[in-house]
C-alpha cells in the first residue's frame, strides 16, 4: 500500500506540501469539520491550515465523549466572530459590511456535505448569536473533485478564500487560489484523471 502524506493526505508521490504558499492574515479562520471528512483527500478544509497560520480545523461528530467538540471553545479572545454560510436571512459579505465590524475578525464556517454543513448551526445554538454572512455573485467553482449539487456551490476552501478576499483584499489572497489549484491537480493526477508520469507526479513549479 502506498504511503500517504499526513499533511496533504495524498500518496507521497503526489505530495504538494512543498509547493504551497503561506499567507499571513489578520483574520482568524476556524472551520468546523464533520468527522467523516477528516481523512478524505477530496476535503478542501484540510488545505486551510497548510496555507494560513491563522487557520484551525475543529472536528465535530466524534463518538468518543472525551473528543466531542464544544463549539464555545473555538471563539478567540479579542476577535469579532462572524459565521459564513448561505442561510436564509444571511447578510451579503461585502466591503460595506466589513467596514461596520470591529477588527480583527474571526471567520467561522462549516465543512462537510451540504447536509452536514447545514446542520451545524441548528445543533450549535451559540452560532446563532453571531452575525451570519454569505457570498454573492462569486465566480464558478474550480472544485473538480466532487459533484456540486447547486449551480453556485463551492468548496469550503474556496468559500474561505473568497471571504478573506473581501475582508483583506483579493491581491493578498491570490496565493490561496493557486494553492487550491495545486491541490485539485495533484488529486486528479493521483486518481488518474489527468495524464502524468513519474517525472510529472509532483506539482508544477
Amino acid at each position: 500500500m502506498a504511503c500517504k502524506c499526513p499533511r496533504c493526505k495524498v500518496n507521497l508521490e503526489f505530495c504538494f506540501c512543498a509547493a504551497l504558499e503561506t499567507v499571513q492574515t489578520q483574520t482568524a479562520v476556524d472551520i468546523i469539520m464533520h468527522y467523516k471528512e477528516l481523512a478524505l483527500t477530496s476535503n478542501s478544509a484540510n488545505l486551510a491550515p497548510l496555507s494560513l497560520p491563522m487557520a484551525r480545523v475543529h472536528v465535530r461528530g466524534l463518538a468518543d465523549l472525551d473528543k466531542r467538540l464544544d463549539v464555545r471553545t473555538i471563539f478567540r479572545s479579542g476577535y469579532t466572530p462572524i459565521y459564513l454560510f448561505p442561510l436564509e436571512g444571511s447578510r451579503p459579505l461585502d466591503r460595506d459590511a466589513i467596514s461596520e465590524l470591529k477588527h480583527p475578525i474571526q471567520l467561522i464556517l462549516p465543512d462537510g456535505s451540504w447536509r452536514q454543513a447545514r446542520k451545524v448551526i441548528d445543533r450549535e445554538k451559540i452560532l446563532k448569536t453571531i452575525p451570519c454572512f454569505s457570498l454573492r455573485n462569486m465566480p464558478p467553482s474550480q472544485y473538480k473533485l466532487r459533484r456540486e449539487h447547486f449551480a453556485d456551490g463551492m468548496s469550503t476552501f474556496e468559500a474561505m478564500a473568497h471571504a478573506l478576499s473581501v475582508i483583506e483584499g483579493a491581491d493578498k489572497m491570490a496565493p490561496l487560489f493557486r494553492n487550491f489549484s495545486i491541490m485539485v491537480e495533484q488529486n486528479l493526477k493521483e486518481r488518474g484523471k489527468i495524464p502524468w508520469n513519474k517525472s510529472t507526479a509532483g506539482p508544477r513549479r
Side-chain angles (χ1 to χ4, degrees):
M1 181 186 298
C3 293
K4 289 185 176 290
C5 173
R7 300 179 74 239
C8 66
K9 311 299 183 183
V10 299
N11 291 336
L12 289 176
E13 184 176 18
F14 299 93
C15 174
F16 53 87
C17 292
L20 298 177
E21 297 182 61
T22 299
V23 179
Q24 300 288 344
T25 61
Q26 294 182 338
T27 305
V29 176
D30 286 271
I31 300 174
I32 303 173
M33 175 194 287
H34 192 274
Y35 76 97
K36 291 183 177 180
E37 295 285 319
L38 190 58
L40 299 181
T41 58
S42 60
N43 179 272
S44 69
N46 285 317
L47 184 60
L50 302 183
S51 304
L52 299 165
M54 290 292 287
R56 304 183 301 192
V57 174
H58 311 270
V59 181
R60 73 176 184 90
L62 295 170
D64 189 335
L65 290 176
D66 293 333
K67 296 181 179 179
R68 287 192 177 177
L69 175 65
D70 182 350
V71 170
R72 293 173 298 179
T73 66
I74 76 174
F75 292 101
R76 307 196 195 209
S77 178
Y79 287 78
T80 298
I82 64 173
Y83 192 66
L84 184 70
F85 197 73
L87 295 171
E88 183 177 351
S90 61
R91 182 177 176 183
L93 186 68
D94 55 30
R95 291 300 303 169
D96 288 340
I98 294 303
S99 68
E100 297 174 7
L101 297 173
K102 182 180 178 181
H103 289 228
I105 293 170
Q106 179 186 11
L107 178 68
I108 302 173
L109 63 162
D111 175 71
S113 67
W114 176 262
R115 184 169 174 272
Q116 292 164 348
R118 180 62 181 83
K119 287 182 177 180
V120 172
I121 198 167
D122 290 331
R123 294 184 175 178
E124 307 294 347
K125 305 300 184 184
I126 193 171
L127 294 174
K128 293 185 177 181
T129 67
I130 64 176
C132 182
F133 293 88
S134 57
L135 299 167
R136 309 288 171 88
N137 304 315
M138 291 292 106
S141 171
Q142 299 303 306
Y143 193 41
K144 302 174 183 177
L145 304 179
R146 297 184 189 178
R147 180 180 301 173
E148 291 292 348
H149 297 285
F150 302 93
D152 56 351
M154 67 180 68
S155 69
T156 300
F157 189 88
E158 287 175 299
M160 177 203 75
H162 283 302
L164 289 174
S165 295
V166 175
I167 297 170
E168 297 199 25
D171 290 344
K172 183 178 179 180
M173 298 304 148
L176 296 182
F177 295 98
R178 290 194 289 271
N179 286 355
F180 184 72
S181 295
I182 291 171
M183 173 206 162
V184 170
E185 180 179 288
Q186 290 307 103
N187 272 274
L188 291 176
K189 285 180 184 178
E190 184 182 41
R191 296 179 185 186
K193 299 295 184 181
I194 58 177
W196 65 276
N197 55 48
K198 292 287 184 179
S199 65
T200 62
R204 289 177 291 182
R205 300 290 181 173

